[in-house]
Amino acid sequence: MRNIYRPELMQVIDARRQTPDVKSVRARFLDPAAGRDFSFRVGQFGIFSAFGYGESTFNICSSSNWRDHIEFCFRKTGRVTEALWEIDEGDTIGFRGPYGNWYPMEEWEGKNLIFLGGGIAMPPIRCAIWYALENRERFGEITIVYGARTVADLVYVDELDKWAAGPGVRVIRCVDPGGETPGWTGEIGFVPMVFERAGVPAGNSVALVIGPPVMIKYTLPVLDRMGIAPQDIYTSLENRMKCGLGKCGRCNAGECYVCKEGPVFTMEQLSRLPTDY
Ligand SMILES: Cc1cc2nc3c(=O)[nH]c(=O)nc-3n(C[C@H](O)[C@H](O)[C@H](O)COP(=O)(O)OP(=O)(O)OC[C@H]3O[C@@H](n4cnc5c(N)ncnc54)[C@H](O)[C@@H]3O)c2cc1C
Ligand code: FES
């Protein structure tokens, strides 16, 4: 029987610095059979290990349609992520997963999609953006607002132009005041304010909002003023996790185990949880 705690080995096939402290990694299962058996849904996460250092939880930020590899992107913040920062093409890492629930992309079909992301929150949105673009006929208009503190803090910048070239896709990039460079052609301002100024039509829309708490706090009233209901606004929580399997009790918000029932919640669901998430 498969040991649910045992990581599968993966070989890094690409590792690149996105910002001074954020790295993106592309990896493939060493065991071809494990790769063939593996599937996931966009929004799910994995638990990645740097051998000798420990495990860290990251969203799988590639599209579930990409069958030969998965991608993740992380910020260097502590022991494990500093060890992962050193990995390069050809190195081996561990992976457990996929875990958690996912974005209900089938329920979003026929609707306009609004993606609002701040900083390192782009990776968990990126998987849904690629999925929507690869199934373009199933969705309405797509609006992406992505902001970071400075131009140097934006991740996956090379992909923003590719997304913007898609039919019915509007991409708005922004940086906080003072974070612009002389050649910056995007907006200057915080994500919620830039989004409200953009006057995006809100009818028949769902929104996926991921970012620092302060961004979410100021974005919700904007969505409310636009008439988007809490059950149509989704986010992804990042409670600290250990097992990822609903067994250790590390990730709970009240009686809810975020690793099992989340990480994806609607704002309506979150309003029923205690505020310790
Ligand atoms: C479902 C989920 C998805 C995530 N996806 C991503 C992702 O795609 N990219 C990414 O960079 N990070 C993501 N995180 C956060 C990531 O797991 C932590 O930043 C990482 O585990 C820190 O490990 P460390 O050993 O390097 O740091 P530690 O030494 O454990 O901690 C260093 C610092 O990081 C903070 N930290 C630790 N864990 C978390 C956490 N879960 N959330 C926020 N801050 C934390 C600590 O408070 C501390 O300040 C996700 C977390 C969850 C639960
Ligand atoms: S991470 Fe162990 S119960 Fe959720």
Side-chain angles (χ1 to χ4, degrees):
M1 197 170 80
R2 182 173 172 247
N3 179 347
I4 52 175
Y5 295 102
R6 204 198 74 199
E8 289 288 343
L9 298 180
M10 298 199 89
Q11 184 171 50
V12 173
I13 52 174
D14 186 69
R16 63 186 66 193
R17 268 169 79 144
Q18 293 281 338
T19 78
D21 63 355
V22 174
K23 196 163 190 177
S24 62
V25 176
R26 190 175 289 192
R28 187 183 284 147
F29 288 95
L30 271 182
D31 174 4
R36 274 195 305 275
D37 291 348
F38 181 75
S39 66
F40 74 99
R41 306 284 296 272
V42 288
Q44 290 192 288
F45 62 89
I47 299 189
F48 297 84
S49 35
F51 298 116
Y53 294 90
E55 296 185 314
S56 261
T57 310
F58 307 124
N59 284 92
I60 303 171
C61 70
S62 38
S63 165
S64 51
N65 294 328
W66 305 349
R67 301 296 305 179
D68 70 329
H69 71 272
I70 60 169
E71 296 182 29
F72 62 99
C73 181
F74 64 95
R75 168 167 287 140
K76 189 167 48 145
T77 60
R79 186 179 147 80
V80 178
T81 46
E82 272 164 22
L84 287 171
W85 184 261
E86 300 303 325
I87 59 171
D88 215 337
E89 203 179 316
D91 290 342
T92 303
I93 57 171
F95 169 83
R96 297 194 281 126
Y99 297 127
N101 67 347
W102 48 84
Y103 307 129
M105 301 298 296
E106 288 84 4
E107 288 174 29
W108 297 357
E109 289 182 9
K111 300 197 174 192
N112 300 316
L113 306 181
I114 299 172
F115 296 109
L116 303 171
I120 184 68
M122 176 45 75
I125 297 179
R126 173 185 183 254
C127 54
I129 293 173
W130 275 118
Y131 181 93
L133 293 176
E134 288 161 354
N135 298 281
R136 189 67 196 89
E137 67 293 348
R138 299 192 202 160
F139 301 96
E141 300 291 304
I142 296 177
T143 305
I144 301 162
V145 183
Y146 175 44
R149 274 182 298 130
T150 72
V151 174
D153 291 312
L154 291 162
V155 302
Y156 289 114
V157 279
D158 53 325
E159 297 192 356
L160 299 175
D161 288 334
K162 289 186 196 153
W163 298 340
V169 183
R170 184 175 176 195
V171 176
I172 303 166
R173 1 159 172 216
C174 56
V175 291
D176 294 355
E180 69 275 18
T181 50
W184 175 245
T185 54
E187 302 280 329
I188 296 173
F190 301 109
V191 168
M193 293 74 177
V194 168
F195 172 54
E196 188 157 38
R197 273 203 313 258
V200 175
N204 191 33
S205 296
V206 292
L208 175 60
V209 188
I210 309 183
V214 65
M215 184 200 111
I216 301 211
K217 177 178 167 194
Y218 287 104
T219 302
L220 294 182
V222 175
L223 293 167
D224 185 48
R225 282 195 287 282
M226 290 168 69
I228 302 182
Q231 60 267 28
D232 292 324
I233 304 171
Y234 292 78
T235 193
S236 183
L237 294 187
E238 290 204 350
N239 289 29
R240 279 205 164 224
M241 291 185 190
K242 189 149 182 74
C243 68
L245 295 161
K247 297 199 187 298
C248 72
R250 186 80 179 266
C251 65
N252 69 305
E255 303 209 329
C256 166
Y257 285 175
V258 174
C259 68
K260 296 287 281 184
E261 295 174 48
V264 178
F265 293 92
T266 66
M267 288 301 162
E268 194 272 326
Q269 290 169 323
L270 288 188
S271 69
R272 288 187 266 115
L273 290 183
T275 48
D276 56 346
Y277 53 82

